[in-house]
Amino acid sequence: MSERIWNIWSQQVRSRLGTLVEIGEVRNSPGRMTRFRYLRRHALVVITRGEGHYEDEKGRERSVATGDWILVFPELGHCYRPLRPGGWDEIYVMFEGPVFETWRQQRALDPDQPTGRLSEPAAWLEEFRLTVLDEKAGPLARVCAFQKLLATAVEGANTEMAAAVSGPPWFADACRLLARPGSGAEEAAKELGIHYETFRRAFRAHAGVPPHKYHRQQLVNVAARMLDSTDMKSAEIARTLGFCDEAYFSRVFKKMTGRSPREYRSRQESR
């Protein structure tokens, strides 16, 4: 098992509206969390690799995977962990202050909705790195940039996770299968024991996108993580994730993120 890596990128980004108390990442999370944990402040956690489980003291239990987010509320005991030690990576932002209390008062931050799914994880993560992590920007600009990304996460962008909560029991399993590089739509339907055409129609009805598109979105998110955290060439990443060739991988990646893999990596390295 790989050793856990914990990087703290920024601390105490203070503005009159609120404070980003700590921004960082955890790689190869060991999954050891006391049940249940309480934090002193709010936190947004975004899973960038792997899959696992969330539960809280109100009895909610959710499967979560790459591209999902978890909101931590100070008063809510919670526990989340990967399926196996070292089985996921995450980024997180701890935050507090008057503007976020207003979010709570208006139910824009809702303890009854502690998890969700990003509609475009790779694009969301790139904007996060370009704005929230921009140390050349002022604290107010960074706090406002985080609010924008928080809004993207919680309002309307998480229709897939909402469907998983209210949808049939197989839907959450389907999302996990489709997040894996080696499991396409037909393979997922077979593993779930559902006829492919029935699966395709039902998945689209609940997720708002067909399963093959959802699968590509998840692969692009994994690819973005690999471009950001490894020295693998685009051709190697394409092969690892099961794309037929590098050119097709580049086209799909650019269509979903607005940048080619090379442009994406160059932007990250110049940050």
Side-chain angles (χ1 to χ4, degrees):
M1 182 185 72
S2 300
E3 183 179 354
R4 182 180 73 165
I5 300 172
W6 189 349
N7 295 319
I8 298 176
W9 290 325
S10 295
Q11 290 181 299
Q12 301 300 325
V13 181
R14 297 182 181 275
S15 76
R16 292 184 179 182
L17 293 181
T19 299
L20 307 182
V21 178
E22 185 171 296
I23 310 169
E25 70 168 347
V26 178
R27 297 185 186 177
N28 306 318
S29 175
R32 296 187 295 270
M33 180 176 289
T34 302
R35 176 179 172 161
F36 286 109
R37 181 182 70 170
Y38 295 84
L39 291 185
R40 296 173 55 191
R41 50 187 59 89
H42 294 87
L44 174 68
V45 177
V46 175
I47 301 167
T48 57
R49 178 186 65 85
E51 56 187 324
H53 185 76
Y54 166 90
E55 60 182 302
D56 60 41
E57 62 184 359
K58 290 189 175 181
R60 284 180 288 251
E61 295 190 37
R62 310 273 172 83
S63 295
V64 288
T66 303
D68 289 344
W69 50 260
I70 298 168
L71 269 174
V72 174
F73 294 86
E75 75 282 5
L76 182 62
H78 64 279
C79 175
Y80 56 84
R81 57 190 178 275
L83 291 182
R84 63 184 186 281
W88 85 21
D89 301 340
E90 66 184 66
I91 64 168
Y92 66 89
V93 181
M94 297 181 185
F95 57 95
E96 63 185 6
V99 70
F100 300 113
E101 292 305 318
T102 300
W103 279 56
R104 285 292 301 268
Q105 292 167 10
Q106 299 301 318
R107 303 290 290 184
L109 292 179
D110 186 352
D112 291 330
Q113 188 182 24
T115 61
R117 180 174 295 279
L118 299 173
S119 61
E120 298 287 347
W124 191 97
L125 289 167
E126 182 175 14
E127 185 173 353
F128 171 82
R129 295 183 181 103
L130 292 174
T131 58
V132 177
L133 297 185
D134 183 6
E135 296 186 352
K136 296 179 181 178
L140 182 59
R142 295 174 71 182
V143 170
C144 289
F146 174 68
Q147 288 188 82
K148 178 184 176 183
L149 288 166
L150 183 61
T152 299
V154 300
E155 71 164 19
N158 61 329
T159 54
E160 294 160 6
M161 179 59 73
V165 173
S166 60
W170 56 263
F171 185 78
D173 290 332
C175 290
R176 289 197 301 273
L177 290 171
L178 291 170
R180 296 173 178 171
S183 180
E186 292 186 6
E187 290 81 1
K190 183 177 181 180
E191 186 162 340
L192 293 168
I194 303 173
H195 186 272
Y196 175 70
E197 283 302 318
T198 301
F199 170 72
R200 183 183 62 79
R201 291 193 297 269
F203 187 93
R204 182 167 187 166
H206 289 285
V209 294
H212 69 275
K213 183 176 181 180
Y214 179 89
H215 180 56
R216 284 203 306 268
Q217 289 173 341
Q218 302 312 304
L219 292 186
V220 166
N221 184 50
V222 174
R225 181 64 177 172
M226 294 169 77
L227 288 165
D228 186 37
S229 60
T230 76
D231 295 325
M232 293 176 67
K233 299 183 182 300
S234 291
E236 295 177 88
I237 293 174
R239 286 195 300 271
T240 300
L241 297 181
F243 287 90
C244 60
D245 55 47
E246 183 183 4
Y248 177 62
F249 163 63
S250 295
R251 288 197 301 272
V252 171
F253 191 93
K254 186 169 185 178
K255 181 177 180 180
M256 292 192 172
T257 67
R259 291 181 173 84
S260 69
R262 178 178 295 179
E263 292 169 337
Y264 180 88
R265 176 169 273 166
S266 297
R267 177 67 67 90
Q268 299 307 102
E269 291 174 346
S270 64
R271 184 176 63 81

